[in-house]
Amino acid sequence: MAKSKTSSSKKWWKEQIIYQIYPRSFFDSDGDGIGDLKGIIEKLDYIKSLGVTAVWVNPFYASPNDDNGYDISDYRKIMDEFGNMDDFNEMIKGFHDRDIKFVMDLVVNHTSDEHEWFKQSRSSRYNLYRDYYHWWPAENGKPNYRFSYFDEKGDAWKYDAHTDAYYLHYFSAKQPDLNWENPEVRREIYDIMHFWVKKGVDGFRLDAFQFISKDTSFPPFPKGYQNNVVDVIKHHGMGPTLHDHIREMNKEVLSKYEVFAVSEGVGSSFEDAHSLVDEDRNELQMVYHFEGVEVGNGLDDPHTLADFKQVHSKWEASFKDNGWISIFLANHDVPRMVSRFGNDSDEFRVASSKMLNTFLLTMRGTPYCYFGDELGMKNIYFQHISEYQDIAAKNGYKKALSEGRDMKKFMQNLSFYSRDNSRTPMQWDNSEHAGFSSDLPWIAVNQDYKEVNVAAQETCPDSVLNHFRQLTSLRTNNPVLIYGTYQQVDKDNPEVYAYSRTLDSQVWLVLLSFVETDSIFQLPDNMQSFEIQGNNYSELRINDGRAKLKAYQAVVLSQKG
Ligand code: GLC
């Protein structure tokens, strides 16, 4: 197949810097302890001041909140706790007035069990909505095992006595999977998309999208099946009809507007990922792969810098000529960026946060910056199960207990990896509840808020926040950071991640130290003469053509011709 050179072609969505907002935790305008849309409206100028060009806001549709909004009961209504449609209209206008694009989270692998479709579907085997979901009649015996991420037993089939049948839920029991093989379901989804595009949204983040198509005969897993990432995706998603459905969605919706769509999850190979976004496929625009945030084998066997470089470089290489990727180090499903990839000790939190932000904003691909990472917010590290709010943590705990697992180890892991780490409230100032709310927040505030907060960082020229702003401006004003090619330099250096970005005659070099000590980096011949475009320290020590980087130093250099 001839490959088109789509990766270097200019597209508006490649040029975005996306800021991800978890609305529940961003700003509470009405004092109920829960963030809301009016809260986002109050902070529009702050968001603009960051230099980001687009936002992705996690789901704010009507929802009983079994999974914080990822269980939707009405796709055309706003969640009561977050406000109403007037607030939405005002919010999106506020973004657009500031030239900020708006990306909507579209959760259509599943709905809430409280969605009208499911209520109908569950009511009778003969109901018109029965085939909107996957049902397995009990007289056929127990269905073959399918894995569920949030189920207490890890079982995706739930027995429902009312019609003596099981329904499928890859996530919680309150998140039944939609049956995408039913054309009526697909039509409903396209209608929902039209509805929101007409309200002004500029893009869709397609939640759990690799799972929409599955083998609906639900055969037994082959011998040797393992409950690992590759096998789970292969045998639960990326099904035979996936591309037909996406092409239909492209034809019916995406191609009709100036919108883009990014797929959360990309299958289990580069081939899968390319099949979703290469331009000649006419499907989606951007992939959001997880390998970058899954690097390493857990707390006992963490990743090395070599692993980190390798993951990002291999994705970059694969998408060099064709397709386009997202760049991110955190989101609402993983730990805080600085705790996971930097060093969140008092001594190095600031330097390493700036270093990681430099990575996000100088790599090739569209950066997704998670709210709070522009301040260097870190993990809260809950110790007791009663502190957790996330269904994945609560049900994961029950599952581990029932399986007789080593609970001390389980709790250690949870404390580090729990999604609640990245869901603690935004730290606005040093007043009570970090200025997030006048009432007790729905989830605990990280106690470092007295030092780590927006107000304190606004007034400090070399704060993480102001460094972030310098970097967004650098990226926006220098196409070399967007379209320039990427090449690793001194690839085997165990302490420094270095890469060049090259566009036409422009050559830039990024040096990122990942260690607590000084490190030496030999500047290549073509970079002996340079200008400093970005630096997270006040100086750069150079001796004999070698840079002596400080702990977690991050510099961006442009070649002087
Ligand atoms: C995605 C979301 C996650 C959610 C899940 C189920 O992975 O990012 O937060 O729990 O889908 O919708």
Side-chain angles (χ1 to χ4, degrees), residues 270 288-297 303-319 325-329 340-341 359 363-364 486 488 491 497:
F270 286 136
Y288 187 95
H289 76 81
F290 296 128
E291 261 195 78
V293 292
E294 283 170 351
V295 62
N297 300 309
H303 69 273
T304 61
L305 177 57
D307 300 330
F308 185 91
K309 293 181 184 185
Q310 196 256 346
V311 163
H312 290 286
S313 299
K314 85 176 185 195
W315 277 88
E316 154 52 41
S318 175
F319 281 76
I325 60 173
S326 313
I327 302 291
F328 65 99
L329 292 174
R340 176 78 162 96
F341 298 106
F359 169 76
M363 263 307 268
R364 194 162 164 285
Y486 160 99
Q488 270 201 87
K491 178 164 155 289
Y497 185 3

Side-chain angles (χ1 to χ4, degrees), residues 67 70 110 150 171 175 205 207 264 332-333 419 423:
D67 182 24
Y70 280 94
H110 44 269
F150 303 154
F171 295 91
Q175 293 169 295
R205 177 257 185 193
D207 183 72
E264 188 214 23
H332 62 294
D333 290 330
R419 312 196 293 179
R423 297 176 178 188

Side-chain angles (χ1 to χ4, degrees), residues 119-131:
K119 288 189 197 160
Q120 295 280 341
S121 181
R122 173 184 247 173
S123 67
S124 145
R125 286 191 180 192
Y126 306 103
N127 188 280
L128 283 176
Y129 288 88
R130 185 67 170 180
D131 287 339

Side-chain angles (χ1 to χ4, degrees), residues 43 46 374-375 426-430 434 449 451-460 463 465 469:
K43 299 297 182 184
Y46 169 77
E374 77 274 25
L375 308 176
M426 178 68 166
Q427 296 166 199
W428 294 104
D429 58 39
N430 65 6
Y449 76 91
E451 290 79 49
V452 184
N453 64 64
V454 175
Q457 297 198 17
E458 285 287 4
T459 54
C460 169
S463 60
L465 175 59
R469 289 174 170 144

Side-chain angles (χ1 to χ4, degrees), residues 527-552:
M527 288 304 291
Q528 288 294 335
S529 174
F530 57 80
E531 265 173 58
I532 300 181
Q533 302 287 348
N535 190 353
N536 61 349
Y537 280 85
S538 54
E539 56 163 0
L540 172 62
R541 295 169 298 173
I542 301 282
N543 201 341
D544 243 356
R546 299 187 315 164
K548 192 173 177 193
L549 299 177
K550 294 190 176 173
Y552 298 104

